[in-house]
Amino acid sequence: MRVMISRFAPAPTGYLHLGHVLNAVYVWRTCPRVLLRIEDHDRQRSRAEYDAAILADLAWLGFRWDGPVVRQSERGDIYSQALERLRGSGLVYACDCARTVVYPGTCRDRGLVDGPGMTLRVRLEPTVERFVDLRLGPQEQRPLEQCGDLAIRDREGNWTYQFAATVDDFEQGITHVVRGEDLLDSTGRQIQLARLLGRAEPPIFLHHPLIMRRSAASAEGFGAPRKLSKSDRDTGVRDLRAQGWTPRQVLDAATSSIIAP
Ligand SMILES: [Zn+2]
């Protein structure tokens, strides 16, 4: 029987909030083994202070992870090796275009030389990626149409989230990726990228509901529900702890679906 391994992978760009807590509940509920990965690939926005607070708050909530904490900022060699594998397959090219939602492939055949200020991209295939989400059922996505050739290293020299997370999931033997349904659209491209990297079988995905909260009341009444974000300071685990909440209360608040305005 295959061992089921998932990961909890927060970015240290803010404190844990209830959205993270809900994700942690789903991750630990799905898999008996969970690795903790700090996704600090964005060196300009990541802070050691948040990293330490995330570990402390997770432990306070009672989550226990397997093995040492892994940090993306310490895994440059692993990403470089993965990049070289893709390069060896002739799939990588340099690009000097401004960021776009759907990259049209302008630099595919320009033969630009990699260097400072250059984005590195991987050629995607015009395939349909099919997978079965554990909660949402069968899915079909066309990554090349959705986003164009994926950036794997940006012009500031940071590995991108898509690339680092896909390499890590492969290299760490993650069998189950459990995350919020706002990331559903990026699943096909991660499955394809994993295959291009040589992964025989992609991880299984489960996309869970997000905590929504009502936008501020206006003349027209309450606004539409919107995703919780770290700008919602009153839902930060740090702040709730300081107000005397217990771990149980925080977990309950996270797993009840909508927070009042
Ligand atoms: Zn370009």
Side-chain angles (χ1 to χ4, degrees):
M1 197 187 78
R2 193 158 78 137
V3 179
M4 292 167 61
I5 306 176
S6 191
R7 81 299 201 274
F8 182 68
T13 54
Y15 294 111
L16 277 193
H17 62 65
L18 291 182
H20 294 110
V21 177
L22 179 65
N23 179 238
V25 169
Y26 270 99
V27 168
W28 265 270
R29 193 187 279 168
T30 305
C31 282
R33 285 196 64 198
V34 176
L35 309 184
L36 180 57
R37 179 197 305 155
I38 301 292
E39 296 202 331
D40 56 354
H41 58 95
D42 185 335
R43 287 166 298 178
Q44 285 81 25
R45 291 174 60 224
S46 297
R47 283 167 55 182
E49 171 198 350
Y50 293 135
D51 184 324
I54 287 169
L55 267 58
D57 289 343
L58 271 182
W60 177 77
L61 287 164
F63 294 107
R64 301 284 177 264
W65 54 88
D66 283 85
V69 178
V70 167
R71 290 185 178 77
Q72 291 186 324
S73 58
E74 296 163 0
R75 294 166 67 77
D77 289 349
I78 290 168
Y79 305 135
S80 293
Q81 286 164 19
L83 166 64
E84 290 316 313
R85 285 211 305 282
L86 291 176
R87 223 197 278 270
S89 310
L91 296 174
V92 177
Y93 65 91
C95 161
D96 61 359
C97 301
R99 211 173 289 224
T100 52
V101 178
V102 181
Y103 179 67
T106 314
C107 301
R108 265 194 167 198
D109 301 308
R110 288 178 69 197
L112 296 175
V113 177
D114 182 18
M118 286 290 192
T119 300
L120 285 183
R121 295 186 181 274
V122 60
R123 286 169 193 267
L124 295 189
E125 301 164 341
T127 50
V128 180
E129 301 298 334
R130 296 185 174 85
F131 59 97
V132 179
D133 183 275
L134 283 184
R135 171 174 157 261
L136 301 171
Q139 306 288 318
E140 252 187 40
Q141 295 180 0
R142 292 169 174 74
L144 187 59
E145 289 175 28
Q146 285 175 284
C147 63
D149 292 338
L150 270 185
I152 59 180
R153 207 195 60 207
D154 69 20
R155 56 178 55 201
E156 284 82 39
N158 291 316
W159 302 104
T160 64
Y161 156 74
Q162 302 285 357
F163 181 70
T166 303
V167 170
D168 287 339
D169 287 340
F170 183 16
E171 198 271 337
Q172 294 186 290
I174 301 299
T175 63
H176 288 67
V177 174
V178 179
R179 57 189 191 177
E181 61 189 15
D182 55 330
L183 292 171
L184 180 64
D185 280 354
S186 67
T187 303
R189 65 198 74 160
Q190 293 188 1
I191 287 173
Q192 182 172 142
L193 181 55
R195 188 171 65 243
L196 297 175
L197 285 164
R199 182 164 183 164
E201 200 182 331
I204 292 162
F205 287 83
L206 187 158
H207 291 88
H208 60 74
L210 302 173
I211 295 181
M212 306 298 276
R213 80 181 311 177
R214 302 256 171 224
S215 304
S218 67
E220 294 81 44
F222 287 114
R226 60 176 178 78
K227 188 192 161 196
L228 202 66
S229 76
K230 58 175 154 265
S231 60
D232 293 303
R233 299 187 62 88
D234 53 329
T235 64
V237 175
R238 282 273 122 154
D239 297 333
L240 298 174
R241 280 180 76 171
Q243 291 167 31
W245 288 44
T246 65
R248 185 75 261 161
Q249 287 174 312
V250 174
L251 292 166
D252 286 347
T255 50
S256 60
S257 58
I258 290 192
I259 299 174

